[in-house]
Amino acid sequence: MSYKYEIAADFIRQKIFSGIYRPSEKLPSIQTLSKELCCNSDTIVKAYKLLESEHLIFAFPKSGFFVVKSVAIEDRSTAVVDLATACPHDSINPYKDFHHCMEKAISLYEKKLFEYSTAQGMSELIMSLAKHLVNFQVFTKPKNIFITNGSQQALYILGTIPFPNGRTKVLVEQPTYPVMLQVMKCNKTPIVGIRRTHKGLDLNELESIFKRSDIKFFYTMPRYQNPTGFCYDNRQKKEIIRLANHYGVYIIEDDYLADLELDTKADPMYALGEQERIIYIRSFSKTLLPGLRLGMAIVPKELQDVFITYKRSIDLNSPILTQGALEIYLKSSMYKFHVQRIKRFYKEKMDVLREACELNNIIKCYIPPTGIYACIDIEGLSADTLVKRLANHNVLLNSTNSCYIDGIPHSEALRLCVCKGNDDDIRKAVRLIGQEINPFRVY
């Protein structure tokens, strides 16, 4: 459910993009709009301030609000529908809040900005993270937390360093996070795949792989997986942990969308298993700001020395300014309100996507209750060909082909990312997909 000022802002924004409110034109007064929308003047003031922060309008002293000259009039017939980009929508990006935190960090950590920090990370941020993670049933000591330049750096280091079990191969879900495949390819780490569906893994196959395949660690995204949106239930998490412990396999749990979880009983693997066997990693790119490039890893004691040695060889320390700003942000009430906003945003997007798939008779799909990714199976068609055909209609999305190990046979599917698309964009994209995969249905 949206706040009243957000609804008012959407009303004004739509009129700007449709050309009803023209560039350089003065907008209706606060009193006029409040009467038109049947809300109080404070709501309109908030709506105008929101649009001002998006650089769509500007205030002129004693004259009112005006549409920015450079605002392009949106032609919906040619507008690009972006269901490919995994970047938070401008309406939920905490630009102003984080700008304030950056300024505060400059004044608070002035001297530290010009000094080297430890490779482990800024102590103030690590202390805040240790307290913050308790909210997700992740209990650890600050000495176990390592700050990295996004989760990608953590994955690169973990794929490269030797593990105490002396093994060499990495097991990944199929499909899996495509960057993970690139990282393992770059550091020449051999990889093995196991099929994952919306029901989870075949545990007998998992045991067979653990038993025979020299597995160093199993990399998994238990909730809202990229690219499918799949989630494990607690029963399956516990079984995976049990098998990994029995066969001496480590688990790397990528919990990149923990902030979006709606089920309070959906604990991370780290909370359910033996902590000396599970490496827990998080990124702040997808739920905060992609350019922040900060992540974290909880590393078991027996891996910490080699982990920090490899991290020092890549960079001496992660940027102090962004670490300080994140520490301030996590401790403030701004973070709490931001999480409430993004939870509502992504749940509503998935609701729209689910309704659109039902309306267009798209049955073979998986739409999670929240998250940023969903998938549509298109058995009998080429996903890459369909992606190209949809691009001709200005609809951008991706197939899941890049999410598989090279040479492994797999089903054809589309990955839909709801970050950038508005409700009408999502409906349009699904309607066009439906026309392609159900060609004989009347629309």
Side-chain angles (χ1 to χ4, degrees):
M1 183 177 177
S2 299
Y3 292 115
K4 287 184 178 179
Y5 79 90
E6 292 175 325
I7 295 172
D10 283 340
F11 173 83
I12 300 163
R13 192 184 294 112
Q14 188 175 29
K15 289 204 169 188
I16 291 172
F17 284 132
S18 64
I20 296 173
Y21 297 155
R22 307 290 299 178
S24 301
E25 182 180 305
K26 184 179 179 180
L27 293 164
S29 69
I30 291 168
Q31 288 76 16
T32 300
L33 264 184
S34 65
K35 288 179 181 178
E36 183 178 354
L37 298 179
C38 299
C39 58
N40 61 45
S41 58
D42 287 342
T43 299
I44 303 303
V45 170
K46 275 188 167 183
Y48 275 160
K49 291 295 183 184
L50 175 61
L51 295 171
E52 192 176 13
S53 71
E54 295 174 6
H55 307 294
L56 290 177
I57 67 174
F58 66 95
F60 197 83
K62 298 181 181 181
S63 297
F65 290 87
F66 295 77
V67 181
V68 171
K69 288 183 180 180
S70 60
V71 171
I73 304 303
E74 186 177 21
D75 180 358
R76 295 306 298 171
S77 65
T78 60
V80 172
V81 175
D82 187 353
L83 297 186
T85 304
C87 179
H89 194 276
D90 286 344
S91 65
I92 59 168
N93 267 339
Y95 293 125
K96 278 197 168 183
D97 289 349
F98 214 79
H99 183 268
H100 168 77
C101 293
M102 295 279 276
E103 290 184 332
K104 186 74 174 175
I106 290 171
S107 61
L108 190 60
Y109 300 117
E110 181 180 7
K111 292 182 180 179
K112 287 191 175 185
L113 298 179
F114 299 98
E115 300 171 355
Y116 288 123
S117 176
T118 65
Q120 182 183 356
M122 187 176 175
S123 60
E124 292 87 349
L125 174 58
I126 289 172
M127 291 293 290
S128 289
L129 283 170
K131 295 176 182 177
H132 173 70
L133 291 169
V134 171
N135 298 318
F136 303 90
Q137 301 302 307
V138 173
F139 299 90
T140 190
K141 296 179 180 178
K143 65 181 181 181
N144 299 325
I145 298 175
F146 293 76
I147 307 300
T148 58
N149 291 337
S151 61
Q152 189 171 338
Q153 186 185 64
L155 292 175
Y156 190 91
I157 294 170
L158 292 165
T160 305
I161 63 176
F163 272 51
N165 59 18
R167 299 171 189 171
T168 59
K169 295 179 182 178
V170 169
L171 177 65
V172 297
E173 299 157 340
Q174 291 292 271
T176 191
Y177 178 37
V179 171
M180 180 60 174
L181 297 179
Q182 294 169 9
V183 166
M184 295 301 101
K185 189 174 183 179
C186 286
N187 62 24
K188 295 181 172 59
T189 300
I191 51 179
V192 177
I194 181 170
R195 184 169 179 259
R196 179 177 180 179
T197 70
H198 68 282
K199 295 180 180 179
L201 303 175
D202 182 331
L203 293 172
N204 291 327
E205 182 184 1
L206 182 67
E207 182 171 18
S208 177
I209 293 171
F210 281 170
K211 189 175 182 178
R212 297 185 176 88
S213 298
D214 189 37
I215 301 299
K216 171 180 173 179
F217 63 75
F218 173 39
Y219 169 75
T220 178
M221 286 182 169
R223 51 182 155 201
Y224 313 128
Q225 190 220 31
N226 179 359
T228 61
F230 294 159
C231 298
Y232 292 132
D233 59 30
N234 279 353
R235 181 197 63 81
Q236 185 136 114
K237 291 175 192 173
K238 290 175 181 177
E239 280 300 300
I240 293 170
I241 292 167
R242 183 186 66 79
L243 289 171
N245 286 341
H246 182 74
Y247 291 100
V249 175
Y250 286 79
I251 294 173
I252 293 183
E253 178 180 18
D254 190 341
D255 204 13
Y256 78 120
L257 289 184
D259 281 328
L260 299 185
E261 183 60 75
L262 301 175
D263 182 0
T264 56
K265 295 182 180 179
D267 293 328
M269 284 184 166
Y270 191 85
L272 301 172
E274 183 183 332
Q275 295 182 356
E276 287 302 310
R277 287 282 181 184
I278 300 174
I279 298 104
Y280 180 84
I281 65 174
R282 286 276 293 274
S283 169
F284 301 96
S285 298
K286 297 296 188 292
T287 54
L288 276 177
L289 299 167
L292 192 60
R293 302 310 305 147
L294 282 180
M296 55 144 285
I298 300 177
V299 182
K301 182 179 179 181
E302 57 188 354
L303 283 170
Q304 289 177 6
D305 287 345
V306 66
F307 186 92
I308 204 69
T309 297
Y310 273 71
K311 187 177 187 303
R312 285 196 192 101
S313 73
I314 297 172
D315 58 37
L316 293 174
N317 60 261
S318 301
I320 303 299
L321 178 57
T322 49
Q323 287 191 67
L326 180 58
E327 184 261 336
I328 292 167
Y329 190 72
L330 290 175
K331 286 168 62 176
S332 73
S333 59
M334 291 182 284
Y335 172 79
K336 176 183 176 182
F337 290 121
H338 175 66
V339 168
Q340 291 174 351
R341 183 166 61 245
I342 62 174
K343 274 188 175 182
R344 183 174 64 251
F345 178 88
Y346 286 115
K347 181 184 181 303
E348 290 175 355
K349 293 299 176 189
M350 287 301 177
D351 288 345
V352 171
L353 180 58
R354 188 178 303 104
E355 291 169 3
C357 286
E358 291 172 358
L359 180 64
N360 290 277
N361 199 35
I362 297 176
I363 300 170
K364 293 184 177 181
C365 61
Y366 180 78
I367 316 297
T370 186
I372 64 177
Y373 296 112
C375 64
I376 295 176
D377 289 332
I378 53 167
E379 189 177 349
L381 298 172
S382 164
D384 288 334
T385 299
L386 183 51
V387 165
K388 290 177 182 177
R389 286 163 67 170
L390 290 166
N392 292 331
H393 296 283
N394 296 316
V395 174
L396 307 181
L397 42 76
N398 292 314
S399 77
T400 60
N401 289 337
S402 64
C403 304
Y404 289 90
I405 298 170
D406 291 343
I408 289 186
H410 58 270
S411 59
E412 296 285 325
L414 301 175
R415 183 186 74 172
L416 278 65
C417 178
V418 299
C419 289
K420 287 290 190 182
N422 62 38
D423 293 356
D424 288 339
D425 287 343
I426 292 171
R427 294 186 185 103
K428 175 184 176 181
V430 173
R431 177 173 53 80
L432 291 170
I433 292 169
Q435 290 173 356
E436 294 287 346
I437 65 179
N438 298 314
F440 301 111
R441 184 169 183 263
V442 177
Y443 286 83

